[in-house]
Amino acid sequence: MGIGLCVPPARCWKRLTRSSRGQPLERPAATIIIGLSIVERSKQTQRGPVDFSRSHSAPAAEQECKPRISAARSTPAPPSPAVPGFRTTPCQTFTAWCNSHLRKAGTQIENIEEDFRNGLKLMLLLEVISGERLPRPDKGKMRFHKIANVNKALDFIASKGVKLVSIGAEEIVDGNLKMTLGMIWTIILRFAIQDISVEETSAKEGLLLWCQRKTAPYRNVNVQNFHTSWKDGLALCALIHRHRPDLIDYAKLRKDDPIGNLNTAFEVAEKYLDIPKMLDAEDIVNTPKPDEKAIMTYVSCFYHAFAGAEQAETAANRICKVLAVNQENEKLMEEYEKLASELLEWIRRTVPWLENRVGEPSMSAMQRKLEDFRDYRRLHKPPRIQEKCQLEINFNTLQTKLRLSHRPAFMPSEGKLVSDIANAWRGLEQVEKGYEDWLLSEIRRLQRLQHLAEKFRQKASLHEAWTRGKEEMLSQRDYDSALLQEVRALLRRHEAFESDLAAHQDRVEHIAALAQELNELDYHEAASVNSRCQAICDQWDNLGTLTQKRRDALERMEKLLETIDRLQLEFARRAAPFNNWLDGAVEDLQDVWLVHSVEETQSLLTAHDQFKATLPEADRERGAIMGIQGEIQKICQTYGLRPCSTNPYITLSPQDINTKWDMVRKLVPSCDQTLQEELARQQVNERLRRQFAAQANAIGPWIQAKVEEVGRLAAGLAGSLEEQMAGLRQQEQNIINYKTNIDRLEGDHQLLQESLVFDNKHTVYSMEHIRVGWEQLLTSIARTINEVENQVLTRDAKGLSQEQLNEFRASFNHFDRKQNGMMEPDDFRACLISMGYDLGEVEFARIMTMVDPNAAGVVTFQAFIDFMTRETAETDTTEQVVASFKILAGDKNYITPEELRRELPAKQAEYCIRRMVPYKGSGAPAGALDYVAFSSALYGESDL
């Protein structure tokens, strides 16, 4: 059974024992646990101390383990009775280790079980290895004197941050070997092994890593542990040869001679390195698994013996680490500049295209423009949105790394700040929104223009057909040779024409109004429309003049002619309005309309049904008119009058009325079919509206809820950072999986636009609202994930535990009164006071300049974390880097390229040579470099 020490890494004490003003804080006690076989980290002490005092009987623990130092130099002695948890080797090793320190005080021990029972040599040992004075020991020989002395030693050990469990003064005074060896192993761990740290590893791991690195170049040496890896003796010889190649000829050593190799290492270490022989070669070779604690104790002596030689290597490692961070940051800066340039260039090329408001004359050309805009939204813009989001994430990550490594903040080139890119992006979206509005309004304008132009052409054609031949008719002088009845008929016919002409006045005005509206809407064929409208107006004026002249002539002739056929007059009076009604009906049935909803179509259908309801009455009127014409013909036949082939009062014949009536009857079912088709189309559009609205009404609140949920997660993250990251990643995956719903909504939106449906009363969410909400949701989750990633970087760089981060988060959330992720100055002061800070106004003002450098009046969570970690963390500084370079330079104020290439890896050495300026001091050789200026520049304190 082994003895383990649970203690934080040595460098952690420096963080935990100093406040922001250098005042000592209470050091957390480490815990000694007897019965554990490995060195565990401090968090394992939360499981509670383990008491093994009843695991072995006292008589077994009291069997003596005599020192075998002298016997180990000759022939191996027979093994002593086994002590539970220890073989003969730990007892021998601990005795030798204690004597290596006690001899500095001119004494030693012979029996580790007996010689520490009175506590005197134990106190002396602690004074030697710690360099501190202990309280004066009690000189008496009574049991209580011995217990008092041992308690003084144990109190001193406890004062060094080690919590002893199940080890009491009575056991040591009573000669309990197990407890005595456990105590000595605790002392060895605390004063000989604990301070060993390589690359921020624990004591045992650091010592093992140090051995692995030092023996890596040697053949037949593979150090993986502190027991079997040392049995052949080559690892010990390799450690000596690595630091003192003049003491051992490693090439002559043989793997099949382990005892010879071990004795060689023991003798050389004792003679030249002042490391006493603590192990027995035969015991190590003949034991399947040598005792780990004994070998760790012996190997730690080599580490301390060669610690001075490690200083240069540590300095080189520190410089390599600093340079690696600097090179990585420079790479991130270059990548940011490149990505920002590409994104800004794309925006610069895209904005002029979106600002182009030159319309197209045809609907098909504008539809192509709309399709190009959809391709831009669907294919070209989404990758740029991702690039913009990634650019912000890279910038935040870079600034976090620079802040954690105490480098100056990254300032992008002019015009490439994140705010500049955000402003450019907002400008792009504003222009994009304006371009889309313009496209839709232009399509509506062209749609209305097409409708108006078609209506103009139809009404103009009807009018031109009506006026065809009217000028020639009005110019005739047929009344000169006509009879009185014929003249009267001509006069009445002319009156009917005037009535018809007046009825067509509204049509002419409507045609002129349509032409005017087409001109106001900038119709591309406005010239031809104006020409045709002008011709119609000129002809209308001419018709008015000719009508007035003919009336004057007929009135003159009327005085000569007095007979007019009453029945023909009656026919004309009834046929003319009926003919106008027929013309209006034909015009209405052939008219084109523009509707946008089912309700408007239903309104047209209702009007059409009302029109059909008047057809029976109109048919009766037609029959009455046809009856008048029949009566005229009957009278002519009865009285032998000249057959009246034409009606002198009207040019309209009964055949014309019947033809127009037949046309009306044919147009009615055609109009029915057209209206039903339009109703079906509007119903399809209505279904599309409802289908889009159903999805939008579900997606819109979902996106809003997710945005609020991500906001709550960002303000109240709980659990470890990895758990938080996993949860956020799951949320991100859920959001990405929801993208299919957005795509389906885009498809429905495209169907609506293809059907020229631009309004939807069933939802308040437009596609633009959904897109903006979706982009906001993606950006929010990405920023939250980036915040957690930055916290991981902060935790790893500063060595914070998850419990510390959780405590910081809980404190921040408690004093975040408004729950908006920011504390006001008064809340921040209250938070600091709750954490034990006693702040005056000057000190608090100094802290506020650190956490709120821009004087925004708020403290963000990231600034709070940076402040707390800066208060407790130890990081590289300019002075440390300068001191490291000074070690490599052999205590000179300059360094040569040859020294850099010899001490640093090739890549880092060349990086330093390129960046360092020549040394300007006196007494330096040619080519000497100024490492002080270079180190200051790394932390932004000077310019290279």
Side-chain angles (χ1 to χ4, degrees):
M1 187 179 301
I3 299 177
L5 172 64
C6 183
V7 59
R11 66 190 303 273
C12 293
W13 292 124
K14 299 178 182 178
R15 293 202 305 268
L16 299 174
T17 57
R18 292 290 172 183
S19 67
S20 59
R21 296 174 295 279
Q23 298 301 320
L25 300 174
E26 182 180 358
R27 171 179 294 179
T31 304
I32 303 302
I33 303 176
I34 298 180
L36 299 179
S37 60
I38 61 173
V39 179
E40 300 184 4
R41 295 189 180 276
S42 59
K43 65 181 182 179
Q44 290 177 316
T45 61
Q46 298 172 3
R47 303 171 186 170
V50 181
D51 187 357
F52 288 86
S53 59
R54 292 189 295 272
S55 61
H56 298 284
S57 61
E62 293 175 358
Q63 298 181 30
E64 293 187 354
C65 181
K66 301 297 182 179
R68 296 173 57 202
I69 297 177
S70 59
R73 298 180 181 176
S74 56
T75 59
S80 299
V83 177
F86 296 92
R87 292 189 298 272
T88 304
T89 302
C91 184
Q92 166 191 331
T93 304
F94 291 177
T95 301
W97 184 85
C98 292
N99 285 333
S100 68
H101 292 285
L102 288 173
R103 68 186 181 187
K104 299 175 184 178
T107 185
Q108 64 178 5
I109 62 173
E110 294 296 332
N111 188 330
I112 195 170
E113 179 182 3
E114 295 293 329
D115 292 351
F116 286 134
R117 293 179 62 178
N118 60 8
L120 297 177
K121 289 189 177 181
L122 178 59
M123 296 178 67
L124 182 60
L125 174 64
L126 292 173
E127 287 184 345
V128 171
I129 61 177
S130 67
E132 300 178 23
R133 295 290 297 176
L134 272 70
R136 182 183 298 275
D138 294 349
K139 297 300 184 179
K141 296 183 180 182
M142 302 295 291
R143 174 180 173 82
F144 72 89
H145 292 123
K146 297 177 182 181
I147 292 175
N149 291 334
V150 174
N151 275 328
K152 291 177 182 179
L154 296 179
D155 291 340
F156 178 80
I157 295 173
S159 70
K160 297 303 180 181
V162 180
K163 184 177 180 181
L164 299 170
V165 177
S166 300
I167 298 180
E170 291 80 3
E171 286 84 357
I172 305 302
V173 173
D174 293 338
N176 189 322
L177 182 58
K178 181 184 73 171
M179 297 301 177
T180 303
L181 292 178
M183 178 187 66
I184 297 302
W185 176 239
T186 299
I187 294 172
I188 292 172
L189 286 177
R190 174 60 183 85
F191 296 98
I193 298 179
Q194 177 180 312
D195 293 332
I196 298 175
S197 178
V198 178
E199 294 188 356
E200 302 181 357
T201 60
S202 66
K204 177 182 177 181
E205 294 169 345
L207 182 59
L208 183 62
L209 180 60
W210 178 80
C211 295
Q212 290 171 341
R213 289 187 173 180
K214 294 304 178 181
T215 60
Y218 292 89
R219 58 182 175 85
N220 297 327
V221 178
N222 183 18
V223 178
Q224 296 297 327
N225 50 54
F226 285 108
H227 38 81
T228 56
S229 297
W230 305 85
K231 291 186 64 174
D232 57 6
L234 291 178
L236 287 173
C237 293
L239 281 178
I240 297 173
H241 184 268
R242 178 63 182 269
H243 297 89
R244 292 289 303 274
D246 57 313
L247 300 181
I248 292 179
D249 188 357
Y250 187 85
K252 295 182 179 181
L253 299 177
R254 292 182 296 108
K255 187 175 181 62
D256 58 355
D257 186 20
I259 294 179
N261 297 337
L262 289 168
N263 285 327
T264 299
F266 295 160
E267 292 170 3
V268 170
E270 186 174 30
K271 182 175 181 181
Y272 297 101
L273 303 179
D274 197 27
I275 298 175
K277 185 176 181 180
M278 301 181 185
L279 304 174
D280 182 83
E282 288 81 2
D283 196 17
I284 293 176
V285 173
N286 295 329
T287 302
K289 182 180 179 181
D291 189 88
E292 185 178 43
K293 293 162 291 300
I295 293 180
M296 281 182 62
T297 303
Y298 189 65
V299 172
S300 67
C301 295
F302 285 88
Y303 175 90
H304 292 292
F306 298 134
E310 300 297 318
Q311 190 176 19
E313 181 180 351
T314 302
N317 289 338
R318 182 184 295 274
I319 293 173
C320 290
K321 177 182 176 183
V322 171
L323 297 180
V325 170
N326 214 54
Q327 290 171 315
E328 181 182 2
N329 291 341
E330 288 180 354
K331 181 180 179 181
L332 289 175
M333 294 176 189
E334 293 172 359
E335 291 176 355
Y336 174 88
E337 290 283 341
K338 178 182 177 183
L339 192 58
S341 300
E342 291 175 354
L343 184 57
L344 289 173
E345 177 61 20
W346 178 80
I347 294 175
R348 185 190 65 78
R349 293 195 311 268
T350 305
V351 167
W353 175 66
L354 294 173
E355 289 177 340
N356 182 14
R357 301 293 195 273
V358 178
E360 297 293 339
S362 64
M363 176 66 77
S364 60
M366 288 305 297
Q367 288 285 3
R368 287 194 296 272
K369 276 184 173 288
L370 182 60
E371 189 62 29
D372 292 340
F373 183 72
R374 290 198 191 104
D375 290 340
Y376 156 78
R377 274 271 181 82
R378 185 173 57 252
L379 303 176
H380 303 299
K381 186 180 178 183
R384 301 298 179 178
I385 293 175
Q386 295 177 0
E387 290 179 6
K388 175 177 174 291
C389 183
Q390 187 62 43
L391 190 69
E392 295 177 358
I393 291 174
N394 291 349
F395 182 83
N396 293 335
T397 302
L398 175 59
Q399 296 292 43
T400 299
K401 288 185 176 181
L402 291 173
R403 184 169 61 254
L404 294 177
S405 57
H406 291 275
R407 267 55 167 189
F410 170 58
M411 180 61 64
S413 303
E414 184 177 358
K416 297 180 182 178
L417 292 170
V418 172
S419 59
D420 297 331
I421 296 173
N423 292 335
W425 189 264
R426 282 194 296 272
L428 172 69
E429 292 186 330
Q430 291 174 358
V431 174
E432 175 184 323
K433 183 63 172 62
Y435 185 77
E436 183 181 25
D437 294 341
W438 173 78
L439 274 178
L440 297 179
S441 64
E442 190 68 11
I443 289 175
R444 293 191 188 98
R445 185 183 70 83
L446 289 177
Q447 185 182 17
R448 177 163 178 76
L449 280 177
Q450 284 185 344
H451 171 69
L452 292 176
E454 182 62 26
K455 197 168 187 177
F456 173 84
R457 285 191 291 269
Q458 185 183 38
K459 290 187 177 297
S461 298
L462 289 173
H463 177 77
E464 289 168 349
W466 180 82
T467 60
R468 192 176 296 116
K470 294 295 189 294
E471 291 176 303
E472 291 79 7
M473 181 198 71
L474 292 173
S475 301
Q476 293 180 25
R477 298 184 62 84
D478 51 347
Y479 50 82
D480 289 340
S481 59
L483 298 175
L484 179 60
Q485 294 83 353
E486 295 174 343
V487 171
R488 184 171 291 178
L490 290 175
L491 182 59
R492 300 296 180 267
R493 184 190 302 170
H494 187 71
E495 290 175 354
F497 173 77
E498 285 180 329
S499 176
D500 198 12
L501 185 68
H504 280 77
Q505 177 69 31
D506 291 338
R507 180 182 294 170
V508 175
E509 292 175 356
H510 194 190
I511 291 173
L514 290 175
Q516 178 66 26
E517 189 170 2
L518 288 172
N519 278 275
E520 291 175 354
L521 293 176
D522 196 20
Y523 183 52
H524 67 283
E525 294 181 359
S528 63
V529 170
N530 292 336
S531 176
R532 192 172 183 180
C533 181
Q534 187 62 43
I536 290 173
C537 291
D538 293 342
Q539 187 186 39
W540 185 257
D541 293 339
N542 189 36
L543 285 175
T545 302
L546 291 175
T547 300
Q548 186 62 39
K549 287 182 179 179
R550 184 173 177 81
R551 182 176 183 81
D552 294 341
L554 289 174
E555 286 177 351
R556 285 192 301 269
M557 292 297 291
E558 189 181 21
K559 295 177 183 179
L560 302 174
L561 305 173
E562 299 178 355
T563 305
I564 300 207
D565 188 2
R566 181 185 57 80
L567 294 175
Q568 288 182 333
L569 179 60
E570 181 67 14
F571 177 88
R573 287 178 177 175
R574 299 187 68 171
F578 185 74
N579 180 63
N580 288 335
W581 180 86
L582 287 175
D583 289 340
V586 171
E587 182 178 351
D588 290 338
L589 291 172
Q590 292 180 338
D591 198 2
V592 292
W593 56 82
L594 177 65
V595 293
H596 298 91
S597 65
V598 174
E599 291 76 12
E600 294 179 3
T601 309
Q602 290 286 4
S603 176
L604 289 177
L605 281 170
T606 302
H608 185 63
D609 292 336
Q610 293 173 355
F611 168 76
K612 290 192 295 183
T614 64
L615 291 179
E617 183 179 354
D619 190 36
R620 289 192 295 273
E621 178 66 14
R622 184 189 64 83
I625 294 173
M626 294 298 103
I628 293 173
Q629 181 63 25
E631 188 176 355
I632 291 173
Q633 293 177 355
K634 182 178 180 181
I635 293 173
C636 290
Q637 293 174 0
T638 301
Y639 296 99
L641 299 177
R642 186 178 60 183
C644 298
S645 58
T646 59
N647 193 323
Y649 303 108
I650 189 168
T651 59
L652 186 67
S653 66
Q655 291 77 15
D656 294 335
I657 293 176
N658 289 329
T659 300
K660 292 182 179 180
W661 176 254
D662 293 338
M663 182 180 297
V664 169
R665 295 185 64 182
K666 292 180 181 179
L667 288 175
V668 167
S670 175
C671 185
D672 282 337
Q673 181 180 357
T674 302
L675 286 172
Q676 290 298 332
E677 291 175 353
E678 180 63 26
L679 177 62
R681 190 177 72 84
Q682 290 299 331
Q683 288 173 344
V684 171
N685 291 345
E686 182 68 13
R687 284 196 299 272
L688 289 176
R689 289 188 183 97
R690 292 181 182 276
Q691 181 176 337
F692 177 87
Q695 296 188 67
N697 290 336
I699 292 175
W702 184 89
I703 291 177
Q704 184 175 0
K706 283 296 180 183
V707 169
E708 295 174 355
E709 182 178 351
V710 171
R712 290 193 298 271
L713 287 175
L717 292 174
S720 67
L721 292 180
E722 286 71 16
E723 293 172 347
Q724 296 171 19
M725 180 61 69
L728 288 172
R729 289 295 185 192
Q730 182 62 41
Q731 284 286 353
E732 183 182 37
Q733 187 60 44
N734 293 339
I735 293 171
I736 293 173
N737 293 338
Y738 200 78
K739 181 64 165 59
T740 55
N741 297 319
I742 304 298
D743 295 338
R744 284 197 299 272
L745 191 63
E746 285 282 5
D748 292 343
H749 178 66
Q750 183 173 352
L751 291 176
L752 286 173
Q753 290 197 332
E754 289 173 352
S755 300
L756 301 179
V757 177
F758 304 105
D759 59 328
N760 195 338
K761 64 181 181 179
H762 304 295
T763 180
V764 298
Y765 297 100
S766 66
M767 196 64 229
E768 181 64 24
H769 294 153
I770 298 298
R771 292 190 191 107
V772 171
W774 181 254
E775 293 173 5
Q776 180 183 359
L777 176 59
L778 292 178
T779 302
S780 178
I781 189 68
R783 286 176 177 169
T784 304
I785 291 175
N786 180 245
E787 178 183 351
V788 176
E789 290 175 344
N790 288 340
Q791 292 182 29
V792 172
L793 289 175
T794 301
R795 180 195 68 187
D796 295 341
K798 303 298 185 179
L800 297 177
S801 66
Q802 184 62 48
E803 290 76 13
Q804 288 176 301
L805 283 177
N806 291 341
E807 181 181 354
F808 292 159
R809 167 62 74 180
S811 299
F812 184 90
N813 289 343
H814 178 75
F815 289 94
D816 181 11
R817 310 295 186 187
K818 298 182 178 180
Q819 297 300 314
N820 59 355
M822 294 178 288
M823 286 194 295
E824 296 183 355
D826 292 339
D827 296 334
F828 180 56
R829 179 195 290 270
C831 180
L832 292 180
I833 293 174
S834 71
M835 298 177 72
Y837 286 83
D838 186 10
L839 303 176
E841 291 297 330
V842 176
E843 179 64 12
F844 181 73
R846 182 188 68 82
I847 294 177
M848 282 301 297
T849 60
M850 295 167 58
V851 299
D852 184 20
N854 297 326
V858 293
V859 179
T860 65
F861 180 67
Q862 188 60 46
F864 178 75
I865 287 291
D866 291 342
F867 169 75
M868 297 306 300
T869 54
R870 188 162 51 243
E871 291 293 292
T872 59
E874 177 190 23
T875 58
D876 296 320
T877 63
T878 303
E879 292 75 12
Q880 291 175 328
V881 176
V882 169
S884 299
F885 271 116
K886 193 165 188 178
I887 292 172
L888 299 185
D891 211 27
K892 302 189 295 294
N893 293 329
Y894 59 85
I895 192 168
T896 64
E898 292 75 15
E899 290 172 334
L900 287 173
R901 292 189 178 100
R902 183 178 67 247
E903 298 293 344
L904 298 179
K907 188 174 181 180
Q908 279 76 17
E910 294 303 324
Y911 178 82
C912 292
I913 293 171
R914 289 196 309 269
R915 296 300 182 95
M916 286 186 181
V917 299
Y919 181 71
K920 298 180 180 179
S922 59
L929 302 175
D930 189 346
Y931 59 79
V932 176
F934 174 76
S935 301
S936 299
L938 288 178
Y939 292 90
E941 299 177 8
S942 67
D943 296 327
L944 288 178

